[in-house]
Amino acid sequence: MFTDEVVMCPVIRVSDKLFTRLEKYVKGFGDTPCAVIERILDEYENIEKDQRTPPDQEPNSTKIKFWQEFSEFAISNNAPLQIRPPTRDQYYCDIRIGRSECHISLTVLTKKNQIGCQLYIPNKKTLFKEFLSNKETIEENLAIEGLLWEEKTNACRIQAFFPFDFENQNREDGFKWYLETANKFKAVFSKEN
């Protein structure tokens, strides 16, 4: 006798008002609340459609190869960062800095021809406000021009960007910028300081 394995998923209850709002974003007959929420999160996290690859194509992903090459570059240059390249096609690579309430996130923004390094602070506005109150000192210590300070509902970011032509530029240029910038962020934002 065959039995189907039952997978228990968490139950999320939403108000009628929120459910009505979600219904505005339904696409077609088979759309579920989960799919709607996933699309909204994708939009919120600025994931562009062409940056998502179907799972069966992931092993050949350009971004996966990019992050693997970056990880190898960091190791060969004895970078003092713990870099774990993503195993799925994604536009970011996270680096822990010894704090549970925030981390460094390196980004690849192919449509904008730029790469980025950010301090990502999910659900901890008090920490962001603490950093913001020391903005002048932090920017002086980072010595990076054009930092973007972004406060959103669920997450805050302190971001730096670097122009990068993915078609024609040597990847080592980007990798060097990543290491230099991530090391500065770690030095300024880790708990040790």
Side-chain angles (χ1 to χ4, degrees):
M1 186 165 110
F2 296 100
T3 59
D4 290 333
E5 183 180 330
V6 177
V7 178
M8 299 300 290
C9 295
V11 174
I12 300 173
R13 300 193 192 287
V14 296
S15 68
D16 290 340
K17 184 178 176 183
L18 180 56
F19 190 81
T20 302
R21 286 178 66 197
L22 287 172
E23 283 181 315
K24 291 181 198 174
Y25 301 97
V26 171
K27 293 182 180 178
F29 290 110
D31 216 351
T32 64
C34 184
V36 173
I37 293 169
E38 195 166 67
R39 279 197 307 278
I40 292 169
L41 285 173
D42 285 348
E43 185 67 29
Y44 179 77
E45 295 171 347
N46 295 320
I47 298 174
E48 298 164 3
K49 277 188 176 181
D50 69 329
Q51 291 180 319
R52 292 188 298 251
T53 304
D56 59 326
Q57 294 178 17
E58 286 182 1
N60 300 319
S61 162
T62 304
K63 288 186 196 74
I64 290 175
K65 288 178 185 173
F66 181 88
W67 293 125
Q68 288 171 339
E69 288 175 19
F70 170 63
S71 179
E72 291 165 11
F73 180 85
I75 291 167
S76 67
N77 284 277
N78 300 313
L81 301 167
Q82 294 180 351
I83 299 164
R84 286 194 204 133
T87 55
R88 340 180 327 242
D89 185 44
Q90 60 192 42
Y91 73 100
Y92 61 92
C93 175
D94 292 336
I95 300 172
R96 294 186 180 143
I97 59 170
R99 299 182 82 134
S100 60
E101 64 271 1
C102 61
H103 61 270
I104 294 171
S105 186
L106 305 177
T107 57
V108 170
L109 304 167
T110 52
K111 277 195 166 185
K112 295 181 178 181
N113 273 330
Q114 61 183 199
I115 57 177
C117 179
Q118 66 182 350
L119 184 72
Y120 183 77
I121 310 165
N123 301 313
K124 195 74 176 177
K125 284 194 176 197
T126 55
L127 180 63
F128 179 76
K129 290 187 188 298
E130 179 185 322
F131 289 144
L132 194 56
S133 70
N134 294 304
K135 181 179 179 180
E136 192 174 304
T137 304
I138 287 171
E139 289 186 345
E140 187 178 303
N141 289 337
L142 285 173
I144 299 171
E145 284 191 39
L147 281 178
L148 177 63
W149 294 70
E150 185 178 67
E151 183 177 358
K152 297 262 182 155
T153 306
N154 293 328
C156 300
R157 296 172 176 86
I158 302 169
Q159 303 170 307
F161 297 101
F162 180 71
F164 189 79
D165 182 348
F166 289 90
E167 296 292 322
N168 302 310
Q169 198 165 349
N170 183 341
R171 287 190 175 181
E172 280 196 15
D173 295 341
F175 295 163
K176 287 175 185 174
W177 182 85
Y178 273 145
L179 290 183
E180 179 183 310
T181 309
N183 280 321
K184 287 180 179 181
F185 270 62
K186 184 178 180 186
V188 170
F189 294 114
S190 69
K191 268 197 173 171
E192 301 157 8
N193 300 312

